[in-house]
Amino acid sequence: RIFGVVLSIYRSFYSIATWRDPILTFWLSIAGTISIAVLLMFPWRLAFFLVGLLFFGPQNWVYRIFKEHFLDDTKNRRPGRIVRAFREMLKDDDGNGVWATNSRVDDKVQS
């Protein structure tokens, strides 16, 4: 039963590709002509502008302000509030930072 369905689909594609089915190839050529006409009149400049605005738009400006306000570490060389809170969460039970400069994870695992 499944093989019969697959075979009928194959036969229909074969008849379309060889232009042997007059009704289906007529509708295929009409649909192709209409799609060409629509794509020629499509406002590509506006579409690409909206896509560019979506990917590179004002959210990046908002992110820059957020980054400068919360994640700025140039003032007095202190990281922002969110970074400090994140580093505080990452401390182990002894109060040592995870990325301590004098120890490595390999040394802790071996001992």
Side-chain angles (χ1 to χ4, degrees):
R1 183 170 171 97
I2 295 174
F3 185 70
V5 171
V6 171
L7 187 61
S8 65
I9 290 172
Y10 173 75
R11 285 181 183 164
S12 65
F13 279 126
Y14 180 78
S15 63
I16 290 171
T18 57
W19 294 89
R20 292 179 192 226
D21 187 359
I23 296 171
L24 206 48
T25 54
F26 168 76
W27 286 113
L28 183 67
S29 61
I30 293 296
T33 306
I34 290 173
S35 66
I36 287 173
V38 167
L39 290 175
L40 281 174
M41 293 185 297
F42 186 75
W44 290 105
R45 182 177 286 181
L46 178 64
F48 284 130
F49 173 74
L50 292 176
V51 168
L53 191 64
L54 176 71
F55 286 118
F56 307 112
Q59 73 274 10
N60 291 327
W61 178 68
V62 171
Y63 173 71
R64 189 195 67 172
I65 291 175
F66 173 79
K67 183 179 173 186
E68 287 175 356
H69 183 68
F70 289 112
L71 305 177
D72 189 17
D73 61 349
T74 57
K75 299 174 188 168
N76 300 327
R77 303 303 300 164
R78 293 187 64 213
R81 287 182 286 183
I82 294 176
V83 174
R84 285 196 307 268
F86 185 70
R87 286 183 182 168
E88 194 66 33
M89 286 189 314
L90 291 178
K91 288 185 178 177
D92 60 2
D93 294 336
D94 299 329
N96 300 325
V98 175
W99 294 289
T101 57
N102 57 358
S103 67
R104 293 185 49 170
V105 174
D106 298 334
D107 297 336
K108 291 181 181 178
V109 170
Q110 289 175 358
S111 59

